[in-house]
Amino acid sequence: MTAPQDVAGPPPAVKTATDTKPTATAPGTIYGLGLGPGAADLLSVRADRLLRGARHVAFFRKAGRAGQARRIVADMLPAGVVEYAMEYPVTTEIPLSDPRYNALLSDFYTTCTAHLRGLAQGGDDVVVLCEGDPFFYGSFMHLYSRLRDDVPVQVVPGITGMSAAWTATGLPVTWGDDVLSVLMGTLPEDVLTEHMRRADALVVMKIGRNIDKVRRALQAAGRYDAAWLVEYAAMADQNVVPLAQAAGRVTPYFSIVIVHGQGRRP
Amino acid sequence: MTAPQDVAGPPPAVKTATDTKPTATAPGTIYGLGLGPGAADLLSVRADRLLRGARHVAFFRKAGRAGQARRIVADMLPAGVVEYAMEYPVTTEIPLSDPRYNALLSDFYTTCTAHLRGLAQGGDDVVVLCEGDPFFYGSFMHLYSRLRDDVPVQVVPGITGMSAAWTATGLPVTWGDDVLSVLMGTLPEDVLTEHMRRADALVVMKIGRNIDKVRRALQAAGRYDAAWLVEYAAMADQNVVPLAQAAGRVTPYFSIVIVHGQGRRP
């Protein structure tokens, strides 16, 4: 699982009786822990073990909210664990294209990273909670790219939210040689339409306020009647509905639209 | 997790003292169990629990081989479990486009299904081992489509092989609004090239003897120098190498090629 760049270096030189220099503290490891789609028993056995043995846990959340990652593991945190909540700065007033948006987020990740780096350099392991899979979209990557040259980082992959979404539809998503395209609802409508035309199976994430644009793109691509809307996949309030039957629906940002492939099936 | 179609029906009518009809055996459930990419501790906690409590386990394998799914769980099978090996028919002599190919596979899945249906109708639960995620390519779907109307089937999603592959590269695969396309190396070269040109991030599966075609398509799309070849992701013999440095390499069918997206990163 360890990234090639993260492989432990050569073993430390053997100490002898004449070696009197004080030993530097061995750095701790930062674990990017894939939590999977949202059910506590869909963590991997490895992630479950690391989490239950953690002394430091870090997670992202919106200001004033409990945080979805924290909620998933609420019943699994060991007694006495030290929590570090990384609260996203409020950016709703700043358009995505404004340089201030990037600068604000960059500062935020730098601050979080400094704290985590300090813990690891002091010898502590830290588990960073990541919804889904840490390297598949998501915020952990912005910490990872800032930490990987300084301290040991290990990534534990997780079940993606999209896996839970297509499982929830009760239909396989890809067969035979189907091409699957994963699209963000935040993309421009014409880009969405073009990809929706060309792929066999589709996953569209980041729905929320983009739902009407996603509908129009699916319609233009001739895929609308085959689309499913999945809300809260793998969670207690999971809901699956044909998209065409959900007209006017207000749906969360983390909802997922699925169009199944129709490839070879003997 | 349960598919909408698989939700348990209404509870059985309450029995009264005058109800003398013999009770039919309640059917068992067939579990499509996602095993993840190949490490025993990358099963989900749910899959681990179901597997360790199983009385019947079924899995696919090539004739005369131990089977990769069976190998992953070798140390986890409970004592006394009944194993059902589903051995793929030998099809190497028949081209994929020959109708006999489809007929042979269809007969095979029908035979497997009959056995599993019999077990479930007799009241037994059966765990079917699925590498990766059961609804993402793979063979379980061909059993599922034949069983789902007759007996209860539940699917447990798993970590995909591609998640393990991009984790192994030590680099996040998708950022911001990146479009990810998942392609099979078995596709025609021009189809591969076209998708490789249009997507930001790429996963190419089913490599093996298709590797030279995949190379040519990546070169034509201008993506070759950014491509990584991942063999045995998450397994003991995991190997990651830039594709351009693996010229002439013979690689397994289940190898995965990754091209990382370069999207927004504050």
Side-chain angles (χ1 to χ4, degrees):
Chain A
M1 239 13 352
T2 311
Q5 295 83 345
D6 301 330
V7 167
V14 176
K15 290 192 184 305
T16 68
T18 57
D19 185 354
T20 52
K21 242 173 64 180
T23 315
T25 308
T29 296
I30 296 182
Y31 293 92
L33 213 72
L35 299 183
D41 65 349
L42 290 180
L43 266 74
S44 69
V45 170
R46 186 184 303 174
D48 183 85
R49 177 174 48 78
L50 286 165
L51 180 63
R52 291 181 192 274
R55 290 191 47 221
H56 291 268
V57 166
F59 51 90
F60 291 102
R61 70 177 178 201
K62 284 188 189 166
R65 304 281 283 275
Q68 172 63 6
R70 173 69 175 71
R71 194 198 59 75
I72 294 172
V73 305
D75 296 335
M76 307 162 69
L77 291 174
V81 71
V82 182
E83 302 189 33
Y84 177 54
M86 301 177 282
E87 296 202 339
Y88 292 112
V90 177
T91 55
T92 43
E93 300 297 302
I94 311 173
L96 209 69
S97 53
D98 190 317
R100 287 178 301 161
Y101 181 90
N102 245 18
L104 198 63
L105 275 181
S106 184
D107 286 352
F108 166 63
Y109 290 125
T110 300
T111 305
C112 299
T113 304
H115 182 78
L116 298 175
R117 187 187 293 108
L119 287 172
Q121 287 175 340
D124 281 321
D125 293 341
V126 187
V127 163
V128 181
L129 308 178
C130 310
E131 294 163 66
D133 179 88
F135 273 178
F136 187 63
Y137 305 99
S139 296
F140 172 73
M141 312 187 304
H142 304 297
L143 305 178
Y144 177 78
S145 59
R146 287 165 171 84
L147 287 167
R148 55 179 284 196
D149 292 336
D150 305 336
V151 290
V153 185
Q154 284 195 27
V155 174
V156 180
I159 298 173
T160 58
M162 68 181 182
S163 269
W166 62 58
T167 302
T169 67
L171 292 169
V173 70
T174 46
W175 304 75
D177 291 344
D178 278 338
V179 173
L180 167 70
S181 283
V182 182
L183 307 168
M184 300 300 108
T186 40
L187 284 167
E189 187 170 331
D190 58 332
V191 175
L192 288 173
T193 302
E194 186 62 26
H195 283 284
M196 288 169 174
R197 274 210 185 98
R198 289 175 182 274
D200 301 302
L202 297 170
V203 170
V204 193
M205 295 163 60
K206 303 185 184 170
I207 302 295
R209 283 186 290 180
N210 301 300
I211 191 164
D212 289 331
K213 179 177 52 174
V214 171
R215 279 181 204 282
R216 290 192 302 272
L218 286 164
Q219 282 161 342
R223 313 298 298 271
Y224 185 60
D225 292 337
W228 295 77
L229 177 65
V230 184
E231 298 168 335
Y232 305 107
M235 291 177 249
D237 34 7
Q238 173 178 300
N239 187 40
V240 182
V241 60
L243 185 59
Q245 290 175 26
R249 189 180 192 93
V250 175
T251 197
Y253 183 72
F254 286 110
S255 293
I256 294 179
V257 167
I258 300 282
V259 178
H260 304 86
Q262 301 294 327
R264 193 177 61 245
R265 51 193 80 186
Chain B
M1 242 4 0
T2 309
Q5 295 83 344
D6 301 331
V7 167
V14 175
K15 290 194 184 308
T16 68
T18 58
D19 186 353
T20 52
K21 244 173 65 179
T23 316
T25 309
T29 295
I30 294 180
Y31 294 92
L33 213 71
L35 299 184
D41 66 350
L42 290 179
L43 266 75
S44 69
V45 170
R46 186 185 302 174
D48 184 84
R49 177 175 47 78
L50 287 165
L51 180 63
R52 291 181 192 275
R55 288 191 49 222
H56 290 268
V57 165
F59 52 90
F60 291 102
R61 72 176 177 202
K62 284 187 189 166
R65 304 281 282 274
Q68 172 62 5
R70 172 68 175 71
R71 193 197 60 74
I72 295 172
V73 304
D75 296 335
M76 307 163 66
L77 292 173
V81 70
V82 181
E83 301 188 36
Y84 177 55
M86 302 178 282
E87 297 203 337
Y88 291 113
V90 178
T91 55
T92 45
E93 299 299 300
I94 310 173
L96 210 70
S97 54
D98 190 317
R100 285 178 302 162
Y101 181 91
N102 245 16
L104 198 63
L105 275 182
S106 183
D107 286 353
F108 166 63
Y109 289 125
T110 300
T111 303
C112 299
T113 306
H115 182 76
L116 298 175
R117 187 186 292 108
L119 287 172
Q121 287 175 340
D124 281 321
D125 293 341
V126 187
V127 163
V128 181
L129 307 178
C130 309
E131 293 162 66
D133 180 87
F135 274 177
F136 186 62
Y137 305 97
S139 297
F140 172 73
M141 313 188 303
H142 303 297
L143 305 177
Y144 177 77
S145 60
R146 288 164 171 84
L147 287 167
R148 56 181 284 197
D149 292 336
D150 304 337
V151 290
V153 184
Q154 285 195 26
V155 174
V156 180
I159 298 173
T160 58
M162 67 182 183
S163 269
W166 63 57
T167 302
T169 67
L171 293 169
V173 69
T174 47
W175 304 75
D177 290 347
D178 278 337
V179 173
L180 168 70
S181 283
V182 181
L183 307 169
M184 300 299 109
T186 41
L187 285 166
E189 189 170 329
D190 58 331
V191 175
L192 287 173
T193 303
E194 186 62 27
H195 283 284
M196 288 169 176
R197 273 209 186 98
R198 289 175 181 274
D200 300 302
L202 297 170
V203 170
V204 194
M205 297 163 59
K206 303 184 184 171
I207 302 293
R209 282 185 290 180
N210 301 301
I211 192 165
D212 288 330
K213 179 177 49 174
V214 171
R215 280 180 203 281
R216 289 191 302 270
L218 285 163
Q219 282 161 344
R223 313 298 298 272
Y224 184 61
D225 291 338
W228 294 77
L229 177 65
V230 184
E231 300 170 335
Y232 305 108
M235 291 178 252
D237 33 7
Q238 173 177 302
N239 187 40
V240 182
V241 60
L243 186 58
Q245 290 175 26
R249 190 181 191 92
V250 175
T251 197
Y253 183 72
F254 286 110
S255 293
I256 294 180
V257 167
I258 300 282
V259 178
H260 305 87
Q262 301 295 328
R264 193 177 61 243
R265 52 193 77 184

